[in-house]
Amino acid sequence: MLSGYTWIDAIYMTVITVTTVGFGEVQPLDTQSKIFTVFLILASIVIVGYAISIITEYILSKSNYEELKQKKMQKKIDSLKNHIIICGYGRNGSQAAKKLIAYEKDFVVIEKDKEIIDKFQSELVSFIQGNANEDEVLLQAGIDRASTLISALPNDADNLFVVLSARQINKDLTIISRASQQTSYNKLKLAGANNVILPDMIGGDHMASLVVVPDLIEFIDNLSIVGKANINIEEIAVEKLYNPSTIKTLRDLDLRKKTGCNVIGFKDGQGDYIVNPEADIELVPKSKIIVLGRPEQIKKLNSLYNIQ
């Protein structure tokens, strides 16, 4: 309109101006057209520069966001102490994590599959991507500060290697390992595992028990702990119940009268269990009792002795 160009010539001049190609004017420009062209060039530089900065920022921010998220998670992991480490987030590992969340326990998951991490990562589940067989990854998960390690990898050889590495780094660590084959049981125990779980054996035994003693198994299933609001069975260290400098007995505590809970098991300092202990059994240091009761009775017990 200013220079009397056709639409084709005007578009052509605009494109070569904005892209700073500048082959030449279709026809000489008058003063008004020159002023318009100056503003067009300045505006195009600003717009194109802004667009490039936005695109660049978007590309960089995606990688920076992942990096910042990982740093934040690592900082959270570094602050943990006496936590649990789960190696592998398959069927067994995810079930263990679910139970620990219900218990409000701190834990870290080591998983090498990025897709699984992206799918399940949340505020409740902290992941470290890597191979649990590597000492650097175990140290990144804070194994030197952890209280327990659960090795739930699908391969027995991998579990064996994890148990060996973990026991070498932390001698006081409680290690629980999964095993697929019965022949792996003794090897994992020898490597340093405190407990070895064979899921297939447990599952088959449970199904057979539902045939032989169905009502008993259903009753035991009802004792499982779903969450803190539904706890009906609990193990308690005697140090939380009284000062063991003066030895007391179960009769002295009288938990049944005070809370309604029944003591159904006792574990002494050497790790030996007694089912349905006598009232005069002595509660020595480092021993534990197992109590049974309704959720409100367990809650009353925890409140009475200020057990967290």
Side-chain angles (χ1 to χ4, degrees):
M1 291 176 64
L2 292 173
S3 305
Y5 286 177
T6 64
W7 281 107
I8 297 298
D9 288 342
I11 292 171
Y12 173 75
M13 283 295 294
T14 301
V15 170
I16 66 174
T17 301
V18 170
T19 58
T20 68
V21 173
F23 285 134
E25 299 168 354
V26 175
Q27 65 184 43
L29 299 175
D30 56 19
T31 303
Q32 286 182 323
S33 298
K34 289 178 179 178
I35 294 172
F36 173 78
T37 305
V38 169
F39 281 106
L40 178 62
I41 293 171
L42 293 175
S44 65
I45 291 173
V46 172
I47 292 170
V48 172
Y50 179 73
I52 291 173
S53 68
I54 290 296
I55 294 170
T56 304
E57 183 181 353
Y58 174 75
I59 294 171
L60 293 177
S61 65
K62 287 195 75 177
S63 59
N64 287 342
Y65 175 73
E66 290 294 328
E67 186 178 346
L68 288 172
K69 187 167 71 171
Q70 187 59 43
K71 284 183 178 178
K72 182 180 178 182
M73 184 169 295
Q74 189 60 50
K75 187 177 180 181
K76 177 183 176 183
I77 294 170
D78 291 341
S79 67
L80 296 178
K81 191 176 181 182
N82 294 325
H83 58 289
I84 298 114
I85 298 174
I86 300 175
C87 300
Y89 202 72
R91 288 174 297 177
N92 294 285
S94 58
Q95 191 63 32
K98 182 180 178 181
K99 183 70 73 173
L100 293 174
I101 291 172
Y103 256 108
E104 297 183 8
K105 295 288 185 180
D106 295 324
F107 66 93
V108 179
V109 178
I110 299 176
E111 174 58 55
K112 63 179 180 180
D113 192 331
K114 185 69 164 59
E115 291 184 4
I116 292 178
I117 295 175
D118 292 338
K119 184 177 180 180
F120 295 103
Q121 187 166 304
S122 66
E123 289 293 325
L124 297 176
V125 185
S126 299
F127 280 95
I128 288 179
Q129 185 180 4
N131 193 333
N133 289 338
E134 299 175 2
D135 290 355
E136 294 79 7
V137 176
L138 291 172
L139 290 169
Q140 189 180 347
I143 193 169
D144 51 332
R145 307 183 309 275
S147 63
T148 306
L149 180 136
I150 299 174
S151 188
L153 302 175
N155 188 286
D156 285 359
D158 291 336
N159 285 319
L160 182 62
F161 202 90
V162 170
V163 171
L164 281 169
S165 300
R167 181 58 69 205
Q168 185 180 16
I169 297 172
N170 189 338
K171 304 296 183 184
D172 300 323
L173 191 68
T174 298
I175 301 176
I176 303 167
S177 177
R178 174 189 184 273
S180 300
Q181 304 294 328
Q182 178 68 42
T183 53
S184 302
Y185 183 91
N186 291 332
K187 295 175 184 176
L188 286 163
K189 278 281 191 178
L190 188 62
N194 299 89
N195 300 96
V196 179
I197 307 299
L198 289 92
D200 294 339
M201 181 180 290
I202 293 174
D205 181 78
H206 191 84
M207 287 187 285
S209 297
L210 283 170
V211 176
V212 180
V213 282
D215 295 334
L216 174 60
I217 297 302
E218 286 186 12
F219 175 76
I220 293 174
D221 287 341
N222 286 329
L223 298 181
S224 62
I225 301 164
V226 179
K228 284 207 167 184
N230 297 314
I231 292 176
N232 46 28
I233 189 168
E234 181 96 274
E235 67 169 27
I236 305 171
V238 297
E239 286 81 4
K240 295 182 179 180
L241 299 173
Y242 79 104
N243 185 355
S245 58
T246 304
I247 303 297
K248 290 187 177 181
T249 64
L250 284 176
R251 182 180 285 105
D252 296 330
L253 290 180
D254 200 9
L255 295 180
R256 172 67 180 174
K257 183 177 181 181
K258 293 178 180 177
T259 65
C261 296
N262 290 299
V263 179
I264 61 171
F266 174 75
K267 181 181 179 182
D268 62 22
Q270 285 71 44
D272 296 324
Y273 286 92
I274 299 176
V275 178
N276 193 23
E278 301 292 338
D280 58 354
I281 194 167
E282 294 185 341
L283 303 176
V284 296
K286 297 184 179 180
S287 61
K288 294 181 179 180
I289 61 171
I290 300 171
V291 297
L292 175 68
R294 296 191 302 274
E296 63 270 17
Q297 293 172 332
I298 297 290
K299 186 176 180 180
K300 184 177 180 181
L301 171 66
N302 292 334
S303 176
L304 180 63
Y305 291 97
N306 195 25
I307 299 172
Q308 301 299 323

